Amino acid sequence: MQTLEKTHPKLQVLKNRLTEINDIDSATSLLYWDQATYMPAGGAAARGRQLATLRQIAHEKFTSLEIGQLLDDLATYAADLPYDSDEASLLRVTRRRYDRAIKVPSSFMAKLSQHRAESYEAWAKARPENNFAIVQPFLEKTLEFSRERANFFPGYEHIADPLIEASDYGMSTASIRVLFHQLRDRLVPIVQKITAQPIADDACLHQHFPETQQLAFSLKVIERLGYDLKRGRQDKTLHPFMIKFSLGDVRITTRVYEHDLNQGFFSTVHEMGHGLYEQGIAPDFEGTPLAGGTSSGVHESQSRLWENLVGRSRNFWQYFYPQIQHAFPNQLGQVPLETFYRAINKVDRSLIRTDADEVTYNLHVMIRFDLELDLLEGQLAVRDLPEAWNDRYRSDLGIVPANDQEGVLQDVHWYSGQVGGMFQGYTLGNILSAQFFAAALRAHPEIPEQIRRGEFNTLHQWLKTNIYQHGCKFTPAEVVEKATGSALSIEPLMQYIQQKYGEIYGL
Ligand code: ZN
């Protein structure tokens, strides 16, 4: 941070307290990472309790009178600092979080944490058994908790607003509805035109690709893209995620299907995008509330930028295709690059969000967003959710899940988190990924040519300078404005989709 002699002595005390809380949070994260990677099933009940205990301690420490007093004492000092200085930002962000956190009792946080762990266990059993009845009572309870949580923030316009604001600061149900409506109107005709054509043949991706070779290849790629393995590692899990214990230890997890090359490779690049964001945060922010991404939407923009705008581009594969052919000579040796490129960009009406292509993906998100609102508003009962889900897939995507496993049970979010605020970040991320990429290309028109040569540093540095290094110093709207020169807009995404898929499908 800034020069020590200028720092207010109480700011140092505050930073010390915040670092202690950060250390407890990091220990919590490590327990969670272990639970999701290596922990034997028998550890589940105790682990749920341990996580709840640590979360409660961290919450109590953060919402203590001492932190409130320090923030009050530093208010005048903060007012004289320039808005974008590190110290002013730390005080501003901490104040905002503190004001939110004190509204929620720590006993509620502990109950919620314990419930989430139990609900996750129920879901992990219900999904393979294809049995929604197992999770129904847990989800009913989750919905109650979600409403209770929202009601700690009275004065909202819509009950989902406080839940949305917690992950995408500055957004609301109303603003997202407008945005999603615009996007939907533009996407649906494109989906209709593409799906009226014969479906692309992606058989080349569904041969046998041994796990070890897949993992080795994707690790080589992400290192080339800029992921620092001295400050990170990759492990296997059920539902891939990125997690940070410190700025020097930002890990990713992945899953590999031996008969689907898409899954492992693109989810690795996706999580790496999240990882690059966290690895790129200014080292001075270590241990403070500034050392994290600014919102779920901006975070997702980075995973999607690397996964899709880079990783599914023709330029990218002009460099990497000979390498993947070399890794899998029997499977891909005879497959032309163009066939592979079309296979990884196949557009199809599908059931699973995480497997969906770039054109239909946002329709999957909108279904979940609307269902969350219906549940919170009390328009939809949990027991009717599977049917409502299937109805929406029928009307929006023209297909119906054969069972709940590929329907309402597919995503972990409602079963380990809350109902509300869980899904909009994905579409915000897609919108922003194109907006940030377009801005990077305006600043450095040579980026596509560099990608074709396997050079990613210019792009990586631009993202680091304009987004990553700031951590959550700035609000999402400020980051977007500073980095791209305009407010959030769906136009860059629509231009990207029209250009790319217009070319592939001759629209
Ligand atoms: Zn993601």
Side-chain angles (χ1 to χ4, degrees), residues 270-271 274 300 303 426:
H270 179 102
E271 298 309 328
H274 286 300
E300 194 65 10
S303 53
Y426 291 107

Side-chain angles (χ1 to χ4, degrees), residues 40-169:
R47 185 56 50 88
R49 190 192 67 235
Q50 292 154 357
L51 287 166
T53 303
L54 284 182
R55 285 188 181 125
Q56 184 170 11
I57 293 172
H59 189 261
E60 275 167 7
K61 274 180 150 318
F62 185 58
T63 54
S64 68
L65 289 174
E66 189 196 7
I67 299 275
Q69 191 61 54
L70 284 164
L71 286 168
D72 287 347
D73 294 347
L74 286 159
T76 332
Y77 173 71
D80 289 337
L81 297 168
Y83 180 85
D84 57 1
S85 73
D86 291 347
E87 290 191 339
S89 304
L90 175 66
L91 289 166
R92 183 174 63 245
V93 169
T94 307
R95 176 95 239 177
R96 191 191 306 144
R97 292 211 186 153
Y98 178 80
D99 289 345
R100 275 189 68 90
I102 53 168
K103 295 193 171 131
V104 186
S106 59
S107 56
F108 173 83
M109 294 303 289
K111 267 193 311 189
L112 179 64
S113 180
Q114 180 70 41
H115 167 72
R116 279 177 176 176
E118 287 162 13
S119 176
Y120 176 85
E121 288 306 312
W123 171 77
K125 193 171 172 322
R127 196 168 91 134
E129 288 181 22
N130 195 13
N131 187 351
F132 182 77
I134 297 177
V135 290
Q136 190 187 316
F138 290 93
L139 189 55
E140 279 163 355
K141 189 93 189 136
T142 305
L143 181 58
E144 266 173 52
F145 273 125
S146 306
R147 288 204 188 105
E148 202 179 332
R149 185 177 207 169
N151 285 323
F152 290 127
F153 304 87
Y156 52 70
E157 203 175 292
H158 189 282
I159 189 166
D161 286 353
L163 308 174
I164 291 171
E165 175 142 296
S167 50
D168 288 294
Y169 181 76

